[in-house]
Amino acid sequence: MAPTAEDMDEKGQRNTILFNGSKRELFTIQNGFKTLHRKLRSNWKIVSSKDEITDAKLASVKVFVIAGPREKFTAPEFDCIKKYLNETGGSVLVLMGEGGESKFDTNINFLLEDFGIMVNSDSVARTSYYKYFHPKEALISNGVLNRAISQAAGKHIPGTNEEDASNDSQALTYVYPFGATLNVNKPATSVLSTGSVCFPLNRPILALHTSKYSKGKLAVLG
């Protein structure tokens, strides 16, 4: 199904963000993403769907969000998502949590492994108390692996060069609550890690993949 006029912005670009709800997702527009929804709806068409994932559903979608799936995907659904990434050039955001697949009772890794990413069945904890009371509300101060993240957040340290990676890794501090680590292999790229204070040490928690066939992008947060 071709994108309709109402799914396009004034420049003819797809402007729909679709939140999947077909796998009993832990987070939805109404539960967990209310603030994000308010911020995005002025420039984006925000929709959610509990129907089976099909090519027609994704045809007019710019970003497809899978936030904590708690049921298994079918092989045809995985094929649709791969086609959406590799041929349509869409963007997919996958969000998981501590315990990974085993806790969520899903099979999302079957899809992610084709792109060099796997969510582990573990949990990230801070080894020393600082600011947050729960050890799994992990405050990470030296986990940036790609300086573009710091620059995009406006936190890049002036005067640092490519060889000064240690300073760049400390340019951004963030909280990683109740999350898991990732295994990341080429062609995917690790972007954020657990740093040197949280356990497991220096493990990826955010990874990106860009399709070599199109401009499709996959982002996975453990």
Side-chain angles (χ1 to χ4, degrees):
M1 183 180 72
T4 60
E6 64 180 9
D7 294 321
M8 302 287 187
D9 61 16
E10 64 275 6
K11 297 180 180 179
Q13 301 294 318
R14 290 174 294 162
N15 69 335
T16 299
I17 299 177
L18 174 61
F19 287 80
N20 188 51
S22 66
K23 307 304 174 190
R24 293 176 51 245
E25 270 71 8
L26 184 62
F27 299 105
T28 65
I29 294 175
Q30 295 77 25
N31 180 27
F33 289 132
K34 283 185 177 181
T35 301
L36 180 63
H37 184 204
R38 286 196 297 269
K39 291 180 179 296
L40 293 176
R41 65 185 178 185
S42 60
N43 296 315
W44 296 84
K45 178 182 177 182
I46 310 298
V47 297
S48 61
S49 173
K50 293 185 178 181
D51 298 330
E52 180 183 1
I53 302 168
T54 63
D55 291 338
K57 285 288 182 184
L58 299 179
S60 59
V61 172
K62 180 69 173 180
V63 181
F64 183 48
V65 181
I66 304 172
R70 293 182 288 181
E71 290 182 359
K72 290 180 171 59
F73 296 81
T74 65
E77 286 178 322
F78 280 152
D79 290 339
C80 288
I81 297 173
K82 291 177 186 177
K83 181 179 178 181
Y84 173 69
L85 280 166
N86 292 328
E87 298 181 23
T88 307
S91 299
V92 177
L93 172 62
V94 177
L95 307 171
M96 289 293 287
E98 64 170 326
E101 274 194 346
S102 60
K103 182 174 181 179
F104 283 76
D105 193 27
T106 187
N107 58 347
I108 191 68
N109 278 339
F110 280 106
L111 170 70
L112 303 182
E113 286 172 354
D114 284 348
F115 300 95
I117 305 170
M118 186 182 79
V119 181
N120 294 317
S121 297
D122 61 5
S123 180
V124 176
R126 188 176 172 92
T127 55
S128 60
Y129 165 76
Y130 184 67
K131 286 190 177 181
Y132 296 89
F133 291 105
H134 200 293
K136 290 183 180 179
E137 293 177 333
L139 182 68
I140 302 173
S141 58
N142 62 343
V144 177
L145 300 177
N146 190 310
R147 64 178 57 86
I149 293 293
S150 302
Q151 292 170 344
K155 300 294 184 179
H156 184 66
I157 299 175
T160 57
N161 52 43
E162 293 184 2
E163 297 178 355
D164 198 2
S166 60
N167 283 336
D168 202 71
S169 69
Q170 300 174 26
L172 183 66
T173 298
Y174 48 92
V175 180
Y176 188 57
F178 303 95
T181 65
L182 307 175
N183 283 341
V184 182
N185 299 300
K186 291 183 178 181
T189 303
S190 300
V191 178
L192 296 178
S193 77
T194 58
S196 60
V197 178
C198 297
F199 185 84
L201 302 176
N202 300 311
R203 295 292 302 160
I205 57 173
L206 174 63
L208 303 179
H209 174 275
T210 301
S211 173
K212 64 181 179 180
Y213 305 106
S214 68
K215 293 183 180 179
K217 297 177 177 63
L218 170 67
V220 182
L221 185 65

